[in-house]
Amino acid sequence: MTTRTDAIPTPRMVVVGAGPAGVRAAHTLLRHGVRPVVIDEASLPGGQIYRQSASPRGSARARYGFEHKRAAAIHAAGAQLRDQADYRAQTAVWNAAPGHLDLVCDGELDSQPYTHLLIATGATDRVLPFPGWTLPGVFSLGGAQIALKGQHCLLGPRIVFAGSGPLLYLVAYQYARAGGQVQAVLDTAPFAGQASALPAMMSQPGTLAKGLYYLGWLRAHGIPVHHSANLAAAQGTVRVEGVRARIGGVERDFACDALAVGHGLRAETQLADLLDCAFDFEAAQRAWLPRRDADGRSTVAGVYLAGDGAGISGAAMAELAGERSALAMLADCGIGISLARLRWIKRKQAALVRFRQELDRAFPLPPADADCDDGVIVCRCEEVRAGELRAAAAQFAIDDLNRLKALTRIGMGLCQGRMCQSGAAELLADCRRIPLSAIGRLRGQAPVKPLPLSSLGSSQP
């Protein structure tokens, strides 16, 4: 055991997010005698990957596949949190400042003080703009999962899945098993890169075997899987009716009723930004991520980061990172922790880091298509088109993403840049012929989540 003498008299520990990282962190705090505040936007714990439905149908194995045991463990730990922690479900954090968070729940505003804050906000889909991506019937891969797990429905009878990353194959497999007519899986990553990464990924044989099983199952059931396939357009008038893709330099059309697309994931970093945490550019993820040490400490005292909200690393790593960050919070408060347990976590994390590096090599994130038509909407909220961004960048010699935002309103809508920042950044870097890391990132601004006007009108001064 290790202890510290500079103990804080009454620590108030808050965990934002009840996915794998947040649940494990809060559960660890409970086991050490600390009753944390847990804040989550969903009604039930589990996060996106282990999303629960208020009225589940079928078996856990049917809903979560090979991950059903891990999902059950997270749900059980989450149920304990709901009983023993100060659990705030269906509550969003819309602003963060040193020592307190601003919340909204059922249209009512609230404030939550803290001495130690763990941000475990997870990730959302990284979607790059392409012709037709705003048509009804085009969804993100995460949205497709929500429909299946949360609402027990398919996006449409005939579905095309496109993009890059392991989630692409998982969701296509889940839909096919649920009875969806998967027309094709269009992977932007080349097969040669995935094949070359296989030997190194043998360090995690169980995880690798699951990925190979999804791919093999899809092929065995006659579902076309194409590599080096780039979306040219979603086709249709009133809604999506087909997909055109460039495969090996040849354009092909696939008839469908729905399209699910995602180019990997992007970390939800807005709260860390509002708290003035330092950020660094991560080339493999083509994104700016909050800086943290191995134990999850950010550059701001009392603020810790864990899970995909600090960098995409997967559910298994998120659990370990959540527990390790919680142990760091405890140690920083002078509460004894098990050094043997900490050493075990470090060994597990080291193995998963190596695996993740090979996974990133197998599924590289594609840059935005330099040939994206000027008429394509990049910012859906403000309806800003690619041509407007290119014209502003050229006219005013813009080399900074925030300057582009000021002149075009990109990223000023309800999503606060969640959907458009990646595409706009790629387009600006291509237009100005500068590295993606040189144009910066959109600065976070409150509210990071939409607020109802009724809540603002009823708030006290």
Side-chain angles (χ1 to χ4, degrees):
M1 305 286 286
T2 181
T3 58
R4 288 180 51 172
T5 57
D6 55 339
I8 297 174
T10 54
R12 181 171 290 167
M13 299 189 181
V14 176
V15 177
V16 179
V23 165
R24 282 301 172 212
H27 194 250
T28 300
L29 297 177
L30 271 183
R31 287 192 290 104
H32 287 78
V34 176
R35 184 173 184 262
V37 176
V38 181
I39 302 168
D40 192 56
E41 294 185 32
S43 57
L44 293 168
Q48 168 63 11
I49 188 168
Y50 303 134
R51 176 177 290 272
Q52 296 190 74
S53 171
S55 56
R57 300 178 187 175
S59 66
R61 179 182 288 273
R63 292 194 302 275
Y64 304 107
F66 292 119
E67 299 296 308
H68 71 280
K69 291 184 179 179
R70 191 182 292 273
I74 289 293
H75 294 165
Q80 184 179 351
L81 293 178
R82 296 177 70 199
D83 291 337
Q84 300 179 18
D86 183 356
Y87 195 91
R88 315 279 183 85
Q90 295 180 298
T91 301
V93 179
W94 63 269
N95 187 30
H100 83 274
L101 304 173
D102 292 316
L103 316 176
V104 60
C105 178
D106 292 330
E108 297 293 328
L109 299 184
D110 197 2
S111 180
Q112 175 60 54
Y114 68 86
T115 60
H116 295 72
L117 172 66
L118 174 62
I119 301 174
T121 43
T124 53
D125 292 279
R126 180 180 187 263
V127 181
L128 298 174
F130 58 91
W133 78 304
T134 57
L135 277 173
V138 179
F139 298 81
S140 69
L141 290 174
Q145 268 201 327
I146 290 173
L148 188 62
K149 292 181 181 179
Q151 285 77 46
H152 315 291
C153 65
L154 304 177
L155 300 181
R158 300 175 304 163
I159 314 156
V160 170
F161 293 88
S164 182
L167 185 63
L168 174 67
Y169 292 94
L170 172 60
V171 182
Y173 165 79
Q174 290 171 333
Y175 263 70
R177 286 293 301 265
Q181 302 172 33
V182 179
Q183 301 299 290
V185 177
L186 307 176
D187 189 347
T188 61
F191 178 76
Q194 295 175 3
S196 65
L198 282 177
M201 287 195 287
M202 285 300 295
S203 62
Q204 297 292 315
T207 304
L208 177 60
K210 285 184 286 188
L212 293 176
Y213 176 82
Y214 298 143
L215 175 59
W217 191 95
L218 291 169
R219 290 189 182 278
H221 286 76
I223 297 172
V225 177
H226 301 281
H227 295 272
S228 299
N230 295 310
L231 280 176
Q235 302 167 314
T237 51
V238 178
R239 58 172 293 112
V240 65
E241 299 170 357
V243 172
R244 175 165 294 174
R246 288 187 292 271
I247 304 171
V250 178
E251 290 197 346
R252 292 188 56 181
D253 293 334
F254 301 87
C256 64
D257 306 295
L259 166 65
V261 59
H263 302 94
L265 299 173
R266 52 163 297 279
E268 285 281 284
T269 60
Q270 288 86 355
L271 296 183
D273 196 2
L274 292 178
L275 290 169
D276 290 329
C277 296
F279 278 63
D280 297 310
F281 185 76
E282 172 57 49
Q285 298 185 28
R286 302 183 69 80
W288 288 87
L289 301 175
R291 188 184 306 162
R292 55 176 171 158
D293 68 10
D295 292 311
R297 297 180 184 88
S298 76
T299 56
V300 175
V303 177
Y304 304 75
L305 305 160
D308 283 349
I312 309 305
S313 56
M317 177 66 90
E319 286 193 55
L320 294 170
E323 182 176 356
R324 186 169 177 179
S325 293
L327 293 176
M329 295 170 76
L330 293 164
D332 291 346
C333 290
I335 300 173
I337 63 172
S338 169
L339 292 179
R341 178 66 178 178
L342 185 57
R343 287 193 294 269
W344 179 87
I345 293 173
K346 290 179 180 180
R347 289 195 298 270
K348 289 288 187 178
Q349 284 184 307
L352 288 175
V353 165
R354 293 191 294 270
F355 180 81
R356 185 70 211 186
Q357 290 171 342
E358 294 303 319
L359 202 62
D360 289 339
R361 187 161 69 91
F363 295 98
L365 297 178
D369 192 344
D371 298 326
C372 182
D373 295 341
D374 282 348
V376 172
I377 289 178
V378 177
C379 177
R380 300 165 71 107
C381 299
E382 299 293 324
E383 297 187 355
V384 183
R385 300 179 184 273
E388 298 173 61
L389 299 180
R390 289 191 176 104
Q395 180 179 355
F396 300 103
I398 299 173
D399 291 340
D400 175 77
L401 197 56
N402 286 288
R403 180 64 175 159
L404 187 68
K405 174 182 178 179
L407 292 174
T408 66
R409 294 192 57 81
I410 192 162
M412 289 189 180
L414 292 177
C415 83
Q416 291 285 287
R418 285 176 176 83
M419 293 297 293
C420 65
Q421 179 170 185
S422 295
E426 298 279 359
L427 192 148
L428 178 59
D430 175 76
C431 179
R432 298 292 294 160
R433 298 293 188 267
I434 57 178
L436 185 63
S437 59
I439 65 169
R441 58 189 174 85
L442 294 181
R443 290 186 293 268
Q445 293 183 346
V448 298
K449 296 294 176 68
L451 290 176
L453 289 176
S454 58
S455 67
L456 297 176
S458 62
S459 63
Q460 298 297 317

